[in-house]
């Protein structure tokens, strides 16, 4: 009953109320059943850290005859909360009872991945792929995960195909079809093709670049997105975009935006051909007046440390602001482009200019980014926006990196030399990338 109520509140946009309710229940829980229900409810609304803490309390209080399922639920929650060490402890206990449990083996592969032991994780997955006892849905999930490992080895086409096409079979990107013929790479010159935007805003910045490739091949591409602000932004940048479709043309095509590099048969050298998004000059010039007040011969550095908490792995990618600030020279002009969640961390840093109230839409955001010398960010849509403009961008990416960052290179083939990736090496710890950030900032701004 509690779980259903919490999910309903979350679906109504009342997540804060759902969390507050669960917080109260957690504070007053004393028995296994209560902690167990609270943990499962937190998990459903992606509050994984709190889910894990309450799952551990439930496990410690459990006194039933068989704790297998309770331990499995706890290890699953531990992985989602980015505690793979704890997950591995529970996995070893469950393997004694049932060494062939496919769910446990999948969690084991995930735990090894989070521990940055990717070879061991891949070995488990490939073994399970060959296991005739596993059904096709399990094998779809395995192939989806193997796509990441192939991308990490720079096997771009095969890795991306597994990641995207197997992910679609598992409904990881849920968007309704469009009422046209589905396009899978055939070039039909002069024909309209609607490209359906999917996933987050960052993914729109990533994939709108491929409209140019379609146009160069003689097709008439139209970007379709429900985000009306992105329609005007993309149209201003020369990409035809709409937020609704009234076209009844039976000869038109449609396709998924993320699939374009696969169907266009692109390789890494084809991804970046220079900046393809520009800020509105009038907005950028207006913000230039604001930033001029801070000019003191020091760089203007933007920071963002947290993304949308609704993203499944946001807990993995969020970085404490204090870690980033420890790497930035004290005399720099520092501007926070964080919005909504995470702003409370600014209280510790009164020298950082909070720009959150000005980030009203992406046109304003682009104008602000245009006036920075550098953006330092976790894996966020703002990072993609800045990089698409050709802005000097540093992205600190977690071990469980997004697919665009799954490759062996320091500079991103998606954005060229202007984007540098600093990679986490240990779960929940950012020491190595922060040290790299210090070195980069010293090298690039020491002469100022």
């Amino acid at each position: 009953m509690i779980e259903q109520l919490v999910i309903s509140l979350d679906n109504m946009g009342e997540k804060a109320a759902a969390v507050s309710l669960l917080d109260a229940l957690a504070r007053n829980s004393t028995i296994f059943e209560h902690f167990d229900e609270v943990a499962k409810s937190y998990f459903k609304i992606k509050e994984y850290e709190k889910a894990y803490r309450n799952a551990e309390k439930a496990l410690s209080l459990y006194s039933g005859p068989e704790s297998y399922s309770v331990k499995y639920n706890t290890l699953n929650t531990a992985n989602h909360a980015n505690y793979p060490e704890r997950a591995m402890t529970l996995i070893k206990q469950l393997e004694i009872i049932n060494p062939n449990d496919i769910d446990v083996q999948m969690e084991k592969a995930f735990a090894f991945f989070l521990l940055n032991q990717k070879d061991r994780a891949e070995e488990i997955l490939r073994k399970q792929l060959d296991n005739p006892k596993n059904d096709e849905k399990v094998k779809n999930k395995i192939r989806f995960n193997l796509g990441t490992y192939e991308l990490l080895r720079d096997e771009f086409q095969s890795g991306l195909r597994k990641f995207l096409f197997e992910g679609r079979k598992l409904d990881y990107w849920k968007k309704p079809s469009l009422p046209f013929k589905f396009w899978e790479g055939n070039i039909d010159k002069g024909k309209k093709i609607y490209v359906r935007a999917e996933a987050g805003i960052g993914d729109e910045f990533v994939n709108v670049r491929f409209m140019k490739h379609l146009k160069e091949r003689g097709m008439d591409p139209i970007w379709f997105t429900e985000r009306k602000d992105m329609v005007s932004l993309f149209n201003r940048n020369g990409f035809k975009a709409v937020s609704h479709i009234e076209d009844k043309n039976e000869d038109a095509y449609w396709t998924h935006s993320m699939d374009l590099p696969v169907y266009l048969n692109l390789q890494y050298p084809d991804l970046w051909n220079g900046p393809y998004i520009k800020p509105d000059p009038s907005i950028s010039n207006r913000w230039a007046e604001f930033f001029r007040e801070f000019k003191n011969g020091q760089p203007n550095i933007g920071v963002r440390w947290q993304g949308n908490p609704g993203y499944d792995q946001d807990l993995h990618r969020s970085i404490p602001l204090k870690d980033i600030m420890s790497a930035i020279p004290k005399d720099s002009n520092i501007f926070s482009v964080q919005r909504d969640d995470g702003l409370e961390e600014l209280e510790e840093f009164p020298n950082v200019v909070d720009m959150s109230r000005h980030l009203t839409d992406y046109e304003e955001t682009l104008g602000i980014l245009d006036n920075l010398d550098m953006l330092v960010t976790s894996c966020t849509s703002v990072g993609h926006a800045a990089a698409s403009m050709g802005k000097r961008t540093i992205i600190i990416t977690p071990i469980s990196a997004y697919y665009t960052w799954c490759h062996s290179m320091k500079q991103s083939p998606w954005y060229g030399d202007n984007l540098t990736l600093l990679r986490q090496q240990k779960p929940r710890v950012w020491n190595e990338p922060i040290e790299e950030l210090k070195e980069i900032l010293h090298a690039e701004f020491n002469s100022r």
Side-chain angles (χ1 to χ4, degrees):
M1 180 178 175
I2 294 297
E3 185 176 312
Q4 293 175 342
L5 175 60
V6 165
I7 293 172
S8 295
L9 286 169
D10 189 39
N11 289 338
M12 290 187 293
E14 297 290 344
K15 183 172 181 176
V19 171
S20 180
L21 171 63
L22 289 173
D23 288 349
L25 290 170
R27 285 194 300 272
N28 292 280
S29 293
T30 57
I31 61 175
F32 161 77
E33 288 79 8
H34 292 168
F35 282 118
D36 187 54
E37 187 172 12
V38 167
K40 290 175 180 176
S41 299
Y42 274 129
F43 191 93
K44 287 291 185 181
I45 60 172
K46 301 179 181 179
E47 287 288 322
Y48 296 127
E49 178 76 32
K50 292 181 177 182
Y52 169 61
R53 297 299 177 194
N54 283 274
E56 285 284 13
K57 290 176 182 176
L59 179 60
S60 70
L61 292 171
Y62 186 72
S63 58
E66 177 54 70
S67 63
Y68 193 94
S69 62
V70 181
K71 287 182 178 179
Y72 175 80
N73 289 339
T74 305
L75 83 86
N76 176 252
T77 306
N79 269 340
H80 274 78
N82 202 17
Y83 288 91
E85 308 95 331
R86 176 57 174 153
M88 289 299 294
T89 298
L90 293 167
I91 287 165
K92 289 175 183 177
Q93 295 173 15
L94 296 181
E95 283 185 321
I96 294 172
I97 302 169
N98 183 359
N100 299 315
D101 186 331
I102 181 58
D103 292 325
V104 172
Q105 291 305 304
M106 293 295 285
E107 290 294 339
K108 186 177 182 179
F110 187 29
F112 273 131
F113 187 92
L114 295 176
L115 290 165
N116 216 10
Q117 299 179 40
K118 296 186 173 71
D119 289 345
R120 299 184 71 177
E122 184 176 4
E123 182 181 349
I124 292 170
L125 292 176
R126 293 205 178 274
K127 181 180 179 181
Q128 292 302 323
L129 187 62
D130 294 334
N131 186 344
K133 294 182 180 180
N134 292 328
D135 62 26
E136 194 58 26
K137 185 174 181 180
V138 168
K139 291 185 178 182
N140 288 342
K141 188 172 183 180
I142 292 170
R143 284 189 287 264
F144 164 76
N145 285 313
L146 288 174
T148 297
Y149 296 92
E150 292 181 11
L151 286 170
L152 287 165
R153 289 194 296 271
D154 299 332
E155 298 169 14
F156 181 61
Q157 275 291 327
S158 63
L160 196 59
R161 281 177 177 273
K162 286 186 177 70
F163 177 80
L164 294 174
F165 295 168
E166 300 299 331
R168 291 198 191 288
K169 293 175 186 176
L170 297 163
D171 288 332
Y172 286 163
W173 299 282
K174 296 179 181 179
K175 287 287 186 179
S177 300
L178 299 183
F180 307 107
K181 294 176 289 187
F182 187 68
W183 185 81
E184 296 179 273
N186 54 303
I187 299 303
D188 202 345
K189 291 190 176 181
K191 295 294 179 68
K192 284 183 180 178
I193 174 170
Y194 287 90
V195 179
R196 204 202 199 297
E198 53 192 334
I201 292 178
D203 295 279
E204 296 208 32
F205 280 111
V206 169
N207 293 296
V208 74
R209 76 183 75 193
F210 301 120
M211 299 279 281
K212 175 177 177 285
H213 293 262
L214 290 168
K215 198 169 184 178
E216 287 174 347
R217 298 186 191 195
M219 300 191 77
D220 180 15
I222 303 165
W223 188 264
F224 172 62
T225 175
E226 286 90 350
R227 300 180 176 103
K228 293 183 179 179
D229 58 332
M230 300 304 285
V231 168
S232 58
L233 190 156
F234 288 153
N235 275 315
R236 182 179 56 74
N237 276 278
F239 303 109
K240 194 186 300 184
V242 297
S243 59
H244 66 279
I245 298 175
E246 298 177 354
D247 196 337
K248 304 297 183 183
N249 186 350
E250 294 183 358
D251 290 331
Y253 293 95
W254 81 278
T255 199
H256 302 287
S257 62
M258 294 169 71
D259 294 352
L260 285 176
V262 172
Y263 289 139
L264 291 166
N265 197 30
L266 303 179
Q267 298 296 335
Y268 279 135
D270 305 315
L271 300 184
W272 177 250
N273 293 293
Y276 53 91
I277 296 294
K278 296 179 181 179
D280 184 320
S282 63
I283 296 176
S284 182
N285 291 337
R286 168 162 50 80
W287 278 110
E289 291 295 319
F290 171 86
F291 280 91
R292 198 167 288 129
E293 296 180 16
F294 296 90
K295 274 296 179 185
N296 54 2
Q298 299 302 320
N300 290 339
I301 299 175
V303 293
R304 183 159 180 148
W305 55 96
Q306 186 174 318
N308 179 358
Y311 174 55
D312 253 10
Q313 294 190 22
D314 184 65
L315 190 62
H316 296 249
R317 66 176 176 171
S318 294
I319 306 166
L321 174 59
K322 64 181 181 181
D323 287 2
I324 295 176
M325 290 298 293
S326 70
I328 299 178
K330 301 292 188 232
D331 53 356
S332 302
N333 303 316
I334 308 172
F335 302 87
S336 165
V337 289
Q338 185 71 33
R339 246 190 69 167
D340 306 320
D341 297 274
L343 289 173
E344 68 281 355
E345 294 186 46
L346 282 171
E347 294 175 7
E348 192 178 338
F349 303 98
N351 60 315
V352 177
V353 182
D354 179 7
M355 303 297 290
S356 60
R357 68 183 184 279
H358 304 298
L359 305 173
T360 52
D361 58 35
Y362 257 95
E363 289 287 17
E364 290 295 324
T365 301
L366 292 181
I368 291 169
L369 294 174
D370 191 43
N371 284 278
L372 299 175
D373 294 298
M374 175 186 286
L375 174 70
V376 178
T377 179
S378 59
C379 179
T380 64
S381 60
V382 173
H384 288 291
S388 70
M389 296 166 57
K391 178 62 56 180
R392 182 71 176 102
T393 306
I394 294 178
I395 292 186
I396 305 173
T397 188
I399 293 171
S400 55
Y402 198 49
Y403 80 100
T404 49
W405 315 133
C406 288
H407 52 73
S408 67
M409 290 156 270
K410 190 83 170 176
Q411 311 304 128
S412 170
W414 289 86
Y415 295 108
D417 292 342
N418 61 288
L419 187 143
T420 301
L421 294 169
L422 306 182
R423 300 183 185 276
Q424 184 186 38
Q425 301 300 316
K426 301 171 187 173
R428 306 183 307 280
V429 176
W430 299 96
N431 295 353
E432 290 88 354
I434 293 300
E435 285 303 312
E436 288 185 82
L437 177 60
K438 287 180 183 178
E439 293 174 9
I440 290 171
L441 293 174
H442 177 79
E444 296 195 17
F445 298 124
N446 191 42
S447 60
R448 295 194 175 206

